[in-house]
Amino acid sequence: EIVMTQSPATLSVSPGERVTLSCRASQSVSTNLAWYQQKPGQAPRLLIYDVSTRATAIPARFSGSGSETEFSLTISSLQSEDFAVYYCQQHNNWPLTFGGGTKVEIK
Amino acid sequence: QVQLQESGPGLVKASEILSLTCGVSNYFINNGYYWGWIRQPPGKGLEWIGSISHGGSTYYNPSLQSRVTLSVDTSKNQIFLKMSSVTAADTAMYYCARDRTFDMWGQGTMVTVAS
């Protein structure tokens, strides 16, 4: 089983700031890495898949990069609606696995 | 717009079987994709339970495999989750979602296991 580790657990940032979230895989997942956003009381929403492909209707301020075992999600200018928990997930191997999440909170 | 809707009992007694249904609208399951179940205990992260293809091929989380069975009824456009011998640790929000990159999610259904 591939273990996904996200860091940091919590990020305190101000609106307008640039934010980078990290995700590490215990072994290579090639480019089969997705990111999700979850707001309180809502189901997660797919933001990015295949490392860097934005899902439908996802704003361009969200971008993903990386390969093999090291990945990042960048939000270029944090908006108020972006305060949420973000999860990475590998879709390279069964079993599918998620990272523990990074909470982006208002500073 | 593809829609998924989970349904099932909100309360299950410990040691009994949890049964959930995921109904899919505006997309025929027969057309493809894997369909997955994911759960989230209160205040915690996401845990993949398992996935099933339109043809019935299944993959399970090894930590749950002995207690979980997924099935599909393409005539009803529904996916099913059965989990046996539930305990309080199975109390969670249960979601169904499409594909290995979960591009569509249901709203989730909260299941509480009572001792």
Side-chain angles (χ1 to χ4, degrees):
Chain A
E1 173 177 326
I2 297 175
V3 177
M4 308 300 293
T5 303
Q6 291 186 242
S7 61
T10 305
L11 264 177
S12 298
V13 296
S14 301
E17 287 187 14
R18 179 184 179 90
V19 173
T20 298
L21 286 61
S22 296
C23 175
R24 174 176 291 179
S26 61
Q27 65 189 72
S28 175
V29 299
S30 185
T31 56
N32 295 307
L33 191 285
W35 290 94
Y36 302 85
Q37 176 193 67
Q38 187 179 31
K39 298 179 181 179
Q42 296 184 16
R45 176 176 70 147
L46 176 66
L47 294 177
I48 286 175
Y49 61 95
D50 294 348
V51 175
S52 60
T53 304
R54 281 189 300 276
T56 303
I58 300 303
R61 64 179 181 273
F62 291 93
S63 62
S65 63
S67 65
E68 306 293 339
T69 62
E70 298 285 343
F71 304 92
S72 61
L73 172 70
T74 298
I75 310 172
S76 59
S77 177
L78 204 68
Q79 305 299 300
S80 57
E81 62 267 29
D82 301 334
F83 291 98
V85 179
Y86 293 83
Y87 295 94
C88 63
Q89 177 238 336
Q90 64 83 16
H91 53 96
N92 191 59
N93 289 0
W94 304 103
L96 306 179
T97 47
F98 290 93
T102 292
K103 182 179 181 180
V104 177
E105 62 178 26
I106 300 175
K107 189 173 184 178
Chain B
Q1 174 78 352
V2 179
Q3 292 185 320
L4 292 81
Q5 178 70 59
E6 305 88 348
S7 61
L11 186 64
V12 181
K13 291 183 180 179
S15 79
E16 295 190 345
I17 295 174
L18 163 65
S19 296
L20 297 177
T21 299
C22 175
V24 180
S25 305
N26 303 319
Y27 185 87
F28 290 113
I29 292 175
N30 256 335
N31 286 348
Y33 287 115
Y34 274 89
W35 302 85
W37 288 93
I38 301 102
R39 70 180 182 178
Q40 186 172 37
K44 297 189 177 181
L46 302 169
E47 179 181 35
W48 174 73
I49 299 170
S51 294
I52 186 167
S53 74
H54 64 286
S57 298
T58 53
Y59 293 92
Y60 297 112
N61 186 323
S63 68
L64 299 171
Q65 184 164 6
S66 63
R67 299 193 294 126
V68 170
T69 301
L70 301 189
S71 58
V72 60
D73 185 335
T74 54
S75 67
K76 295 183 178 180
N77 229 34
Q78 293 176 327
I79 303 109
F80 307 98
L81 164 69
K82 288 191 185 297
M83 181 181 294
S84 63
S85 304
V86 297
T87 70
D90 296 310
T91 293
M93 183 72 78
Y94 285 76
Y95 297 100
C96 59
R98 187 179 75 169
D99 204 9
R100 294 172 58 149
T101 57
F102 304 112
D103 62 344
M104 296 289 175
W105 294 68
Q107 65 185 24
T109 186
M110 183 66 201
V111 175
T112 301
V113 177
S115 57

XYZ file of all heavy atoms in Angstrom, chain A residues 30-100:
559
model
N 4.092 7.727 -10.321
C 4.214 8.321 -11.651
C 3.572 9.712 -11.636
O 3.914 10.539 -10.792
C 3.579 7.403 -12.690
O 3.777 7.909 -13.985
N 2.618 9.937 -12.524
C 1.909 11.234 -12.521
C 0.441 11.042 -12.157
O -0.413 11.858 -12.495
C 2.040 11.939 -13.879
O 1.555 11.063 -14.906
C 3.481 12.324 -14.167
N 0.140 9.964 -11.455
C -1.237 9.643 -11.113
C -1.598 10.159 -9.720
O -1.793 9.390 -8.769
C -1.458 8.135 -11.217
C -1.291 7.657 -12.648
O -1.918 8.188 -13.568
N -0.416 6.674 -12.840
N -1.685 11.477 -9.624
C -1.889 12.143 -8.359
C -3.003 13.168 -8.517
O -3.018 13.949 -9.476
C -0.585 12.823 -7.922
C -0.407 13.394 -6.504
C -1.160 14.706 -6.285
C -0.819 12.385 -5.439
N -3.946 13.160 -7.565
C -5.080 14.082 -7.601
C -5.133 14.907 -6.313
O -4.607 14.488 -5.276
C -6.387 13.319 -7.774
N -5.764 16.059 -6.411
C -5.992 16.945 -5.260
C -7.482 17.241 -5.137
O -8.177 17.452 -6.140
C -5.240 18.261 -5.444
C -3.754 18.170 -5.353
C -2.875 18.011 -6.389
C -2.953 18.266 -4.162
N -1.591 17.988 -5.913
C -1.607 18.140 -4.554
C -3.247 18.443 -2.802
C -0.543 18.189 -3.638
C -2.201 18.490 -1.898
C -0.867 18.369 -2.318
N -7.939 17.289 -3.884
C -9.333 17.584 -3.581
C -9.409 18.723 -2.569
O -8.525 18.883 -1.717
C -10.040 16.355 -2.995
C -10.005 15.163 -3.913
C -8.912 14.305 -3.913
C -11.048 14.896 -4.787
C -8.854 13.214 -4.772
C -11.005 13.812 -5.643
C -9.910 12.974 -5.629
O -9.853 11.911 -6.474
N -10.502 19.450 -2.641
C -10.814 20.503 -1.678
C -12.084 20.104 -0.941
O -13.049 19.670 -1.570
C -11.044 21.831 -2.413
C -11.459 22.991 -1.529
C -11.974 24.161 -2.366
O -13.005 24.081 -3.012
N -11.235 25.262 -2.355
N -12.080 20.252 0.371
C -13.290 19.972 1.131
C -13.581 21.108 2.099
O -12.736 21.457 2.922
C -13.179 18.657 1.906
C -14.504 18.258 2.566
C -14.430 16.944 3.318
O -13.394 16.570 3.863
N -15.544 16.217 3.349
N -14.775 21.636 1.982
C -15.250 22.662 2.908
C -16.173 22.028 3.939
O -16.746 20.971 3.687
C -15.979 23.763 2.126
C -15.069 24.478 1.144
C -15.814 25.544 0.369
C -14.879 26.219 -0.624
N -15.576 27.260 -1.418
N -16.318 22.664 5.106
C -17.143 22.066 6.175
C -18.553 21.744 5.695
O -19.215 22.570 5.045
C -17.149 23.161 7.245
C -15.879 23.904 7.028
C -15.666 23.905 5.546
N -18.989 20.532 6.003
C -20.343 20.120 5.670
C -20.556 19.754 4.215
O -21.702 19.506 3.802
N -19.479 19.732 3.423
C -19.611 19.412 2.006
C -18.792 18.179 1.644
O -17.823 17.833 2.327
C -19.135 20.592 1.149
C -19.968 21.844 1.310
C -19.507 22.955 0.374
O -18.764 22.719 -0.585
N -19.967 24.175 0.631
N -19.175 17.567 0.557
C -18.362 16.494 -0.003
C -17.091 17.085 -0.606
O -17.062 18.260 -1.001
C -19.146 15.753 -1.081
N -16.037 16.300 -0.671
C -14.826 16.780 -1.357
C -15.124 17.093 -2.812
O -16.067 16.564 -3.406
C -13.868 15.595 -1.230
C -14.352 14.825 -0.054
C -15.844 14.978 -0.079
N -14.303 17.965 -3.372
C -14.422 18.334 -4.784
C -13.072 18.119 -5.454
O -12.038 18.570 -4.935
C -14.851 19.799 -4.905
C -14.903 20.319 -6.329
C -15.421 21.731 -6.417
N -14.520 22.744 -5.886
C -14.414 23.985 -6.354
N -15.139 24.358 -7.403
N -13.613 24.859 -5.780
N -13.097 17.461 -6.602
C -11.855 17.244 -7.345
C -11.349 18.571 -7.898
O -12.073 19.281 -8.590
C -12.092 16.263 -8.497
C -10.899 16.002 -9.425
C -9.777 15.288 -8.677
C -11.337 15.179 -10.636
N -10.100 18.894 -7.589
C -9.464 20.099 -8.123
C -8.564 19.764 -9.303
O -8.634 20.412 -10.352
C -8.595 20.767 -7.048
C -9.254 21.369 -5.823
C -8.179 21.896 -4.876
C -10.210 22.490 -6.221
N -7.695 18.790 -9.108
C -6.640 18.482 -10.070
C -6.445 16.984 -10.127
O -6.514 16.308 -9.096
C -5.333 19.201 -9.661
C -5.442 20.698 -9.960
C -4.110 18.598 -10.363
C -4.278 21.520 -9.487
N -6.204 16.458 -11.320
C -5.849 15.058 -11.485
C -4.651 14.955 -12.421
O -4.297 15.935 -13.094
C -7.035 14.229 -12.009
C -7.553 14.656 -13.361
C -7.122 14.030 -14.523
C -8.468 15.699 -13.482
C -7.585 14.424 -15.762
C -8.938 16.108 -14.713
C -8.507 15.463 -15.856
O -8.961 15.861 -17.084
N -4.036 13.774 -12.441
C -2.827 13.582 -13.255
C -1.805 14.690 -12.985
O -1.201 15.236 -13.914
C -3.172 13.516 -14.737
C -3.993 12.293 -15.099
O -4.091 11.383 -14.252
O -4.534 12.239 -16.222
N -1.636 15.005 -11.722
C -0.656 15.983 -11.200
C -1.031 17.426 -11.483
O -0.978 18.258 -10.570
C 0.772 15.717 -11.729
C 1.735 16.821 -11.275
C 1.276 14.379 -11.249
N -1.402 17.741 -12.714
C -1.496 19.157 -13.079
C -2.712 19.525 -13.930
O -2.830 20.689 -14.336
C -0.222 19.575 -13.832
O -0.065 18.796 -15.002
N -3.593 18.586 -14.205
C -4.778 18.877 -15.029
C -5.911 19.345 -14.140
O -6.372 18.604 -13.272
C -5.206 17.638 -15.827
O -4.124 17.173 -16.626
C -6.405 17.981 -16.714
N -6.346 20.580 -14.364
C -7.459 21.100 -13.561
C -8.765 20.435 -13.965
O -9.039 20.260 -15.167
C -7.577 22.620 -13.707
C -6.573 23.402 -12.874
C -6.884 24.904 -12.898
N -6.847 25.424 -14.254
C -5.757 25.813 -14.871
N -4.586 25.731 -14.248
N -5.818 26.288 -16.103
N -9.582 20.107 -12.982
C -10.896 19.548 -13.251
C -11.818 20.647 -13.785
O -11.472 21.831 -13.776
C -11.472 18.941 -11.979
N -12.989 20.234 -14.238
C -13.941 21.165 -14.826
C -14.275 22.295 -13.868
O -14.561 22.060 -12.693
C -15.232 20.416 -15.200
O -14.914 19.349 -16.089
C -16.223 21.347 -15.858
N -14.220 23.508 -14.375
C -14.627 24.723 -13.652
C -13.696 25.113 -12.514
O -14.049 25.976 -11.693
C -16.051 24.601 -13.150
N -12.526 24.521 -12.424
C -11.571 24.893 -11.378
C -10.773 26.101 -11.846
O -10.185 26.086 -12.931
C -10.642 23.721 -11.031
C -11.465 22.521 -10.536
C -9.602 24.142 -9.998
C -12.349 22.806 -9.336
N -10.719 27.156 -11.021
C -10.031 28.393 -11.445
C -8.545 28.182 -11.683
O -7.911 27.311 -11.075
C -10.255 29.334 -10.253
C -11.393 28.776 -9.497
C -11.361 27.298 -9.710
N -7.998 29.031 -12.526
C -6.597 28.913 -12.931
C -5.621 29.226 -11.798
O -4.425 28.939 -11.920
C -6.317 29.833 -14.124
N -6.101 29.806 -10.699
C -5.190 30.089 -9.573
C -4.732 28.800 -8.880
O -3.778 28.825 -8.107
C -5.833 31.031 -8.557
C -7.047 30.501 -7.837
C -7.572 31.537 -6.847
N -8.741 31.061 -6.101
C -9.981 31.172 -6.526
N -10.236 31.757 -7.669
N -10.979 30.728 -5.771
N -5.401 27.681 -9.173
C -4.989 26.389 -8.647
C -4.070 25.703 -9.664
O -4.443 25.553 -10.840
C -6.191 25.486 -8.382
C -7.057 25.939 -7.238
C -8.154 26.752 -7.474
C -6.779 25.557 -5.933
C -8.960 27.193 -6.430
C -7.580 25.974 -4.877
C -8.675 26.796 -5.124
N -2.904 25.286 -9.211
C -2.012 24.564 -10.110
C -1.302 23.452 -9.340
O -1.077 23.565 -8.134
C -0.987 25.504 -10.745
O -0.157 26.084 -9.753
N -0.974 22.394 -10.059
C -0.294 21.266 -9.448
C 0.992 20.944 -10.191
O 1.099 21.208 -11.392
N 1.943 20.380 -9.461
C 3.204 19.991 -10.084
C 3.793 18.805 -9.337
O 3.315 18.433 -8.255
C 4.189 21.163 -10.083
O 4.514 21.542 -8.757
N 4.855 18.251 -9.937
C 5.567 17.154 -9.304
C 5.539 15.887 -10.140
O 4.935 15.845 -11.222
N 6.183 14.859 -9.612
C 6.185 13.550 -10.258
C 6.803 12.533 -9.303
O 7.481 12.900 -8.342
C 6.975 13.570 -11.577
O 8.345 13.818 -11.331
N 6.566 11.277 -9.615
C 7.113 10.154 -8.843
C 6.625 10.178 -7.395
O 5.616 9.594 -7.082
C 8.645 10.155 -8.906
C 9.209 10.163 -10.314
C 8.932 8.880 -11.095
O 8.653 7.834 -10.481
O 8.954 8.928 -12.337
N 7.357 10.842 -6.500
C 6.989 10.808 -5.087
C 6.763 12.173 -4.444
O 6.289 12.248 -3.309
C 8.064 10.084 -4.256
O 9.295 10.808 -4.370
C 8.260 8.647 -4.733
N 7.073 13.243 -5.140
C 6.961 14.585 -4.548
C 6.016 15.442 -5.379
O 6.220 15.625 -6.591
C 8.335 15.256 -4.491
C 9.357 14.526 -3.622
C 9.104 14.715 -2.139
O 8.362 15.646 -1.759
O 9.638 13.915 -1.351
N 5.012 16.007 -4.699
C 3.984 16.765 -5.401
C 3.628 18.015 -4.613
O 3.816 18.067 -3.390
C 2.729 15.909 -5.602
C 3.004 14.624 -6.324
C 3.304 13.462 -5.624
C 2.980 14.578 -7.714
C 3.576 12.277 -6.281
C 3.254 13.399 -8.394
C 3.555 12.252 -7.675
N 3.109 19.000 -5.335
C 2.659 20.208 -4.658
C 1.424 20.779 -5.338
O 1.229 20.604 -6.551
C 3.770 21.252 -4.611
O 4.157 21.609 -5.912
N 0.615 21.430 -4.527
C -0.547 22.183 -5.005
C -0.299 23.640 -4.629
O -0.020 23.938 -3.471
C -1.824 21.683 -4.330
C -3.089 22.510 -4.598
C -3.542 22.340 -6.049
C -4.211 22.101 -3.637
N -0.395 24.512 -5.604
C -0.188 25.932 -5.374
C -1.465 26.696 -5.659
O -2.120 26.458 -6.681
C 0.953 26.477 -6.249
O 2.170 25.809 -5.905
C 1.133 27.977 -6.043
N -1.795 27.599 -4.744
C -2.880 28.546 -4.970
C -2.210 29.903 -5.095
O -1.590 30.388 -4.142
C -3.893 28.532 -3.813
C -4.333 27.095 -3.503
C -5.118 29.394 -4.164
C -5.183 26.953 -2.251
N -2.315 30.513 -6.262
C -1.485 31.682 -6.563
C -1.861 32.907 -5.724
O -0.984 33.673 -5.326
C -1.570 32.032 -8.053
O -2.916 32.308 -8.411
N -3.142 33.081 -5.477
C -3.612 34.217 -4.675
C -4.863 33.761 -3.937
O -5.930 33.640 -4.543
C -3.915 35.427 -5.560
O -4.426 36.509 -4.793
N -4.698 33.505 -2.658
C -5.756 32.859 -1.889
C -6.997 33.749 -1.787
O -6.912 34.917 -1.391
C -5.234 32.523 -0.506
C -5.943 31.402 0.227
C -5.675 30.065 -0.463
C -5.479 31.347 1.674
N -8.122 33.189 -2.162
C -9.405 33.873 -2.035
C -10.139 33.376 -0.798
O -9.833 32.308 -0.261
C -10.259 33.618 -3.284
C -9.580 33.991 -4.583
C -9.238 35.464 -4.653
O -10.124 36.312 -4.569
N -7.949 35.782 -4.804
N -11.128 34.114 -0.371
C -11.845 33.755 0.863
C -12.488 32.379 0.753
O -12.556 31.630 1.732
C -12.908 34.812 1.181
O -13.812 34.956 0.103
N -12.927 32.034 -0.458
C -13.593 30.741 -0.650
C -12.618 29.568 -0.692
O -13.039 28.415 -0.802
C -14.452 30.761 -1.913
C -13.685 30.994 -3.204
C -13.634 32.459 -3.602
O -13.679 33.328 -2.690
O -13.571 32.724 -4.829
N -11.318 29.846 -0.630
C -10.312 28.784 -0.703
C -9.928 28.240 0.668
O -9.160 27.266 0.751
C -9.052 29.287 -1.407
C -9.323 29.765 -2.822
O -10.301 29.292 -3.438
O -8.550 30.621 -3.317
N -10.414 28.851 1.736
C -10.114 28.327 3.059
C -10.891 27.029 3.246
O -12.124 26.998 3.216
C -10.442 29.363 4.129
C -9.508 30.536 4.090
C -9.869 31.710 3.437
C -8.250 30.458 4.651
C -9.003 32.786 3.375
C -7.375 31.533 4.591
C -7.747 32.700 3.946
N -10.131 25.938 3.403
C -10.712 24.599 3.340
C -9.630 23.588 3.706
O -8.500 23.963 4.021
C -11.238 24.316 1.932
N -10.000 22.319 3.653
C -9.024 21.243 3.820
C -8.737 20.653 2.437
O -9.656 20.450 1.629
C -9.549 20.141 4.761
C -8.515 19.030 4.902
C -9.881 20.729 6.126
N -7.464 20.385 2.175
C -7.032 19.853 0.887
C -6.407 18.474 1.083
O -5.595 18.274 1.987
C -6.029 20.801 0.236
C -6.667 22.119 -0.146
C -6.819 23.139 0.783
C -7.159 22.325 -1.427
C -7.434 24.335 0.453
C -7.775 23.517 -1.780
C -7.915 24.519 -0.828
O -8.546 25.699 -1.162
N -6.814 17.548 0.236
C -6.307 16.182 0.290
C -5.646 15.821 -1.040
O -6.158 16.162 -2.112
C -7.447 15.177 0.524
C -8.141 15.308 1.858
C -9.292 16.076 1.995
C -7.651 14.651 2.987
C -9.941 16.186 3.220
C -8.290 14.762 4.212
C -9.433 15.534 4.317
O -10.072 15.645 5.532
N -4.541 15.088 -0.950
C -3.985 14.474 -2.152
C -4.385 12.993 -2.159
O -4.728 12.417 -1.115
C -2.467 14.644 -2.229
S -1.516 13.847 -0.918
N -4.350 12.399 -3.328
C -4.735 10.990 -3.491
C -3.987 10.403 -4.673
O -3.929 11.022 -5.746
C -6.243 10.870 -3.735
C -6.747 9.460 -3.999
C -7.452 9.319 -5.333
O -7.961 10.289 -5.894
N -7.486 8.109 -5.875
N -3.428 9.215 -4.477
C -2.773 8.564 -5.617
C -3.769 7.627 -6.295
O -4.526 6.903 -5.622
C -1.493 7.841 -5.174
C -1.664 6.677 -4.219
C -2.010 5.370 -4.913
O -1.853 5.208 -6.128
N -2.502 4.402 -4.141
N -3.782 7.693 -7.621
C -4.649 6.802 -8.400
C -3.818 5.970 -9.366
O -4.252 5.610 -10.458
C -5.763 7.571 -9.116
C -5.304 8.727 -9.969
N -5.096 8.613 -11.316
C -5.058 10.025 -9.657
C -4.730 9.790 -11.803
N -4.699 10.668 -10.816
N -2.590 5.640 -8.904
C -1.694 4.811 -9.715
C -1.869 3.334 -9.420
O -1.819 2.496 -10.330
C -0.247 5.232 -9.430
C 0.733 4.629 -10.414
O 0.628 4.846 -11.623
N 1.680 3.868 -9.904
N -2.020 2.998 -8.155
C -2.096 1.600 -7.726
C -3.314 1.373 -6.843
O -3.739 2.258 -6.100
C -0.854 1.239 -6.890
C 0.404 1.157 -7.721
O 0.377 1.364 -8.922
N 1.508 0.883 -7.061
N -3.834 0.135 -6.902
C -4.756 -0.312 -5.866
C -3.931 -0.828 -4.690
O -2.923 -1.481 -4.908
C -5.650 -1.445 -6.382
C -6.431 -1.142 -7.612
C -6.147 -1.572 -8.872
C -7.620 -0.335 -7.731
N -7.089 -1.099 -9.756
C -8.007 -0.344 -9.079
C -8.393 0.381 -6.812
C -9.134 0.333 -9.546
C -9.515 1.059 -7.277
C -9.875 1.025 -8.613
N -4.355 -0.540 -3.453
C -5.504 0.262 -3.041
C -5.254 1.749 -3.236
O -4.130 2.237 -3.040
C -5.643 -0.083 -1.563
C -4.253 -0.393 -1.115
C -3.608 -1.073 -2.280
N -6.289 2.479 -3.597
C -6.210 3.924 -3.687
C -6.012 4.484 -2.282
O -6.588 3.973 -1.312
C -7.497 4.485 -4.292
C -7.910 3.882 -5.653
C -9.221 4.503 -6.118
C -6.818 4.064 -6.692
N -5.209 5.512 -2.154
C -4.910 6.061 -0.832
C -4.899 7.580 -0.842
O -4.488 8.206 -1.837
C -3.558 5.544 -0.303
O -2.560 5.662 -1.324
C -3.664 4.091 0.124
N -5.337 8.137 0.266
C -5.377 9.577 0.464
C -4.311 10.007 1.463
O -3.933 9.244 2.359
C -6.727 10.012 1.060
C -7.902 9.909 0.125
C -8.680 8.765 0.097
C -8.231 10.970 -0.702
C -9.792 8.676 -0.750
C -9.328 10.906 -1.551
C -10.103 9.749 -1.575
N -3.873 11.246 1.328
C -3.083 11.865 2.361
C -3.983 12.292 3.512
O -5.214 12.272 3.398
N -3.362 12.694 4.602
C -4.115 13.053 5.801
C -4.770 14.425 5.754
O -5.580 14.754 6.626
